[in-house]
Amino acid sequence: MKPVSPDESMRGAAAGGDLTAAHQSYFGQPVLKRPHWDWKVVAYLFIGGIMGGSGILAALADGSRDKADRTLARSSRYLSLSLAAISPVMLIAHLGRPERFHHMLRIFKLKSVMSMGVWGLLLFSNVALVNAAHQLAEDGKAPRAFRALPRAAVGLMQAGLGAFMAGYTGVLLSATAIPLWAKGKRHIPAISVCSSVASACAANAIVLALVGGPARTISKLERLEFVAACAEAVLLLHFRRHAGESGEAMFSGHLGQSLRNFTLIGGLALPMAHNGMAFAPLRPTQHGLRTILVSALTLMGGYVFRYVLIEAGKASADDPQLALRPPQ
Amino acid sequence: MAKGFFTDTTLCIGCKACEVACKQWNQLPAEEYEFSAKSYDNTMQLSGTTWRHVKFIERTTAEDGVPASRWLMMSDVCKHCTHAGCLEACPTGAIIRNEFDDVYVQPDVCNGCGYCVPSCPFGVIDMVAQAAVPSVGPAAGDRDCGSLASGGVEGDESVLQRPSGIAAKCTLCYDRQNIAMTPACAKACPTESIQFGDVDDLKARAKERVTELRTRGVKGYLYGVDETTSVGDLNAFFLLTEPSEAYNLPAKPVLPSTHQPAGYAAAAAAAAVLALAGIAIFWVAPSGPGAA
Ligand code: SF4
Ligand code: SF4
């Protein structure tokens, strides 16, 4: 039998075959299936981001020689642990079979970003617990014995795991066939990290403002938030150009409008205009209410970004033309 | 030895016997009645409860100026990929490669995280919603091996008890294969458009068929054989006669996990930049207003 080499010109329009516009898909039917993820997943991405970002802030504050930063070490450690208690609830609630959550702990699978994330969350929670116990002991609310814990090492671990928690959700989305997410395989993970750090700065600034924390530390948070927000804005705008057709659902229509108003303008540009002032050398101001308002804007922007990302991903799955020509 | 399907679309007459046989054997509920107004097809796609689906593709051509229409019929199914996106994504290990080299979802292990669904480059696997399971009879959770179960409740043959809230797709009739039976769809197909067997044998047979068709002036090719994509060959492959897009199949499917290295690297780079900024702001720079 003579082996038949596949006739490349037959393979598909992408490979040079000819197709009239009307026949480029099966009645315009979606090629891909939408994920069933709803607001619980959006909330998980958002909370996990603040949690991870707070882990990084805890290490920064702990390593600082400035006594004022002790308040931030306290707030970020407690915040990190509290959010580590909420995020598994969101994760479990989104499952079709929540009572089988522990099946994710049967295996450790490097190839599955979901598996890595679950193990990351588990590790992070434990490290956050140890770190919070240390803080409790320092605050005199727990046995002094906890102070013997290796603080620097645990702090560093929490920062590393925090960075993972802040970024892995972006990798999780981009390692799918969904056209928008696949197209953003570099952008989405990087934007997730930036948005998480900015949100963590904002959340901790709110806590510090509420407990009357030192203005100096709030100022530092504002500066870091400014840097993270700058990076996020640049990456988002670059992603818009890079995504092209795949990005239509995210950057135009009602989702695009939400992204522009609530993330790009409300959640990034406005807070940046305010936080940029933190770089001015001597600025003896009382923060208070203004800090809380500006930080709330940043948090809103972070939530809306994740909401738009998930919903626009679903919409892009419905377009057969995008799915028939996946980015290689 | 790898077992699979060779679906020869040139033989398909669109009778949907495979679709029905699959529903019957696997006790899959009917889809909701919906008039698609698109060809003779109201099901339109594979789903968590439709594991074989016959596409009715209408083509109109003008032969010598006279418009003519013809049909391309194709029985679609899970491809049982060599490198399966769904299997790689699954965090519970519910999706396995079984002893027949097919991709199988263990219904009692899946916890319904839904990650496999967007990870299939062919849009095959889907969630089975709670509503898809009738509320009569014992709770679905009590009988987790629905697709392997042989019948309804005693005395009530009409009650279907598929597990719900989990992902589902073609099992390549794992249960039938286990007792050396041909999968239900291939058994029911009256034209042998669906052939079941050792994948290597099927491939050889399929290549012969392509040659034969060419001598008759029909240009066909195999989709899922000798592939160079990251998904690799398909254990359920097809003989097609039009560009793959006409069948809603990507010409060059991509295995989603190939995006991971770039993604992790980008996240790490962003984290490193922000960590350095944080160190500069918290540890190095003068502490701003009121610094001691
Ligand atoms: S076609 Fe989709 S569901 Fe089937 S094995 Fe391949 S990736 Fe999995
Ligand atoms: S829904 Fe089930 S089969 Fe799919 S990835 Fe999650 S646990 Fe695995």
Side-chain angles (χ1 to χ4, degrees):
Chain A
M1 189 199 87
K2 192 165 61 87
V4 180
S5 62
D7 180 349
E8 275 306 319
S9 71
M10 294 292 300
R11 296 302 314 225
D18 78 301
L19 267 185
T20 54
H23 292 139
Q24 279 180 359
S25 70
Y26 182 57
F27 293 108
Q29 187 69 26
V31 169
L32 300 172
K33 295 282 189 297
R34 284 173 163 225
H36 75 280
W37 304 334
D38 59 6
W39 69 270
K40 295 188 267 319
V41 170
V42 176
Y44 173 74
L45 303 184
F46 179 66
I47 293 170
I50 303 179
M51 176 188 83
S54 294
I56 302 175
L57 290 181
L60 284 172
D62 202 39
S64 166
R65 274 169 315 189
D66 188 347
K67 280 261 161 39
D69 293 344
R70 302 299 315 145
T71 3
L72 175 61
R74 184 179 301 126
S75 74
S76 54
R77 282 166 160 183
Y78 289 154
L79 193 64
S80 208
L81 182 66
S82 337
L83 296 178
I86 303 175
S87 51
V89 177
M90 292 293 143
L91 188 66
I92 293 171
H94 104 275
L95 297 175
R97 286 300 196 91
E99 80 281 8
R100 294 184 185 170
F101 169 73
H102 62 282
H103 288 192
M104 283 184 179
L105 306 175
R106 294 166 75 232
I107 55 165
F108 179 88
K109 193 162 161 187
L110 279 172
K111 262 284 167 64
S112 167
V113 189
M114 181 86 79
S115 173
M116 295 306 290
V118 168
W119 286 107
L121 177 60
L122 197 75
L123 259 178
F124 183 91
S125 320
N126 283 300
V127 171
L129 189 69
V130 172
N131 238 341
H134 196 282
Q135 186 65 44
L136 274 174
E138 251 172 63
D139 294 346
K141 292 186 181 101
R144 309 195 92 228
F146 285 131
R147 297 187 70 163
L149 294 164
R151 183 166 119 194
V154 179
L156 216 69
M157 265 178 81
Q158 193 179 2
L161 286 166
F164 176 78
M165 293 310 291
Y168 99 87
T169 49
V171 186
L172 182 133
L173 296 182
S174 51
T176 63
I178 303 297
L180 172 74
W181 300 342
K183 191 73 184 175
K185 64 179 176 185
R186 288 190 181 83
H187 292 82
I188 295 173
I191 297 172
S192 297
V193 171
C194 296
S195 167
S196 298
V197 170
S199 299
C201 288
N204 281 284
I206 291 182
V207 176
L208 290 195
L210 286 175
V211 301
R216 214 157 70 211
T217 303
I218 296 184
S219 232
K220 290 183 187 177
L221 281 174
E222 288 172 351
R223 288 184 216 171
L224 182 56
E225 187 186 323
F226 179 86
V227 175
C230 268
E232 184 185 347
V234 169
L235 285 166
L236 258 175
L237 294 175
H238 189 267
F239 182 40
R240 177 164 70 177
R241 288 187 48 191
H242 171 76
E245 271 189 303
S246 315
E248 253 165 40
M250 180 160 180
F251 296 105
S252 61
H254 76 281
L255 288 173
Q257 231 167 41
S258 301
L259 188 74
R260 192 187 61 222
N261 296 343
F262 298 116
T263 299
L264 278 167
I265 298 175
L268 289 169
L270 283 183
M272 271 159 69
H274 171 266
N275 295 336
M277 293 189 304
F279 284 96
L282 287 163
R283 195 170 55 97
T285 50
Q286 198 48 55
H287 294 74
L289 193 60
R290 202 179 61 220
T291 302
I292 295 177
L293 285 177
V294 171
S295 303
L297 281 177
T298 299
L299 293 179
M300 172 193 74
Y303 190 88
V304 171
F305 161 66
R306 286 164 173 87
Y307 167 78
V308 169
L309 187 61
I310 295 287
E311 290 305 318
K314 290 183 192 170
S316 80
D318 289 348
D319 184 342
Q321 294 314 318
L322 297 175
L324 287 172
R325 285 164 198 73
Q328 294 295 317
Chain B
M1 192 166 234
K3 298 280 189 184
F5 287 130
F6 163 37
T7 306
D8 182 347
T9 62
T10 60
L11 294 176
C12 181
I13 54 170
C15 70
K16 303 193 193 188
C18 51
E19 227 179 287
V20 175
C22 176
K23 290 257 184 197
Q24 276 194 323
W25 177 260
N26 293 300
Q27 301 188 315
L28 299 168
E31 302 294 327
E32 273 171 34
Y33 293 107
E34 201 178 293
F35 182 59
S36 72
K38 287 167 183 165
S39 198
Y40 289 100
D41 184 4
N42 291 317
T43 310
M44 294 312 286
Q45 57 177 338
L46 292 169
S47 76
T49 47
T50 299
W51 297 348
R52 266 278 178 193
H53 168 245
V54 184
K55 286 177 178 156
F56 277 62
I57 302 157
E58 287 182 45
R59 312 292 270 170
T60 42
T61 45
E63 274 154 29
D64 306 327
V66 185
S69 77
R70 63 194 179 96
W71 298 95
L72 299 172
M73 281 137 187
M74 181 233 187
S75 179
D76 201 4
V77 69
C78 166
K79 281 74 189 167
H80 295 275
C81 315
T82 301
H83 303 288
C86 63
L87 191 154
E88 288 191 341
C90 178
T92 61
I95 307 187
I96 55 163
R97 190 169 293 284
N98 65 19
E99 63 269 41
F100 304 110
D101 225 10
D102 303 324
V103 179
Y104 177 67
V105 189
Q106 305 172 79
D108 53 338
V109 178
C110 168
N111 69 9
C113 75
Y115 194 34
C116 52
V117 175
S119 301
C120 168
F122 302 102
V124 171
I125 194 166
D126 203 4
M127 303 299 290
V128 180
Q130 304 282 352
V133 179
S135 51
V136 254
D142 299 341
R143 284 189 53 222
D144 280 332
C145 45
S147 70
L148 299 180
S150 52
V153 198
E154 273 227 280
D156 188 357
E157 235 62 40
S158 66
V159 179
L160 303 171
Q161 296 143 52
R162 297 279 322 149
S164 64
I166 62 166
K169 68 168 191 71
C170 161
T171 68
L172 227 149
C173 279
Y174 190 16
D175 48 352
R176 290 173 69 99
Q177 282 201 58
N178 264 320
I179 48 173
M181 280 170 80
T182 301
C185 57
K187 187 87 190 167
C189 178
T191 62
E192 292 195 333
S193 171
I194 301 173
Q195 299 177 33
F196 167 79
D198 289 338
V199 173
D200 290 338
D201 291 352
L202 290 177
K203 281 181 180 171
R205 218 186 293 169
K207 286 177 180 175
E208 260 174 68
R209 172 78 181 153
V210 171
T211 319
E212 184 201 326
L213 284 173
R214 288 204 182 174
T215 61
R216 294 206 238 143
V218 178
K219 265 206 200 173
Y221 68 97
L222 298 179
Y223 181 86
V225 176
D226 300 334
E227 295 289 353
T228 53
T229 66
S230 44
V231 173
D233 277 11
L234 311 174
N235 276 359
F237 61 92
F238 301 86
L239 194 163
L240 307 177
T241 55
E242 295 274 332
S244 63
E245 284 90 346
Y247 304 87
N248 252 19
L249 295 171
K252 298 228 175 298
V254 173
L255 182 65
S257 68
T258 54
H259 303 151
Q260 285 177 19
Y264 280 125
V273 168
L274 292 182
L276 284 179
I279 286 171
I281 290 165
F282 279 89
W283 298 359
V284 183
S287 311

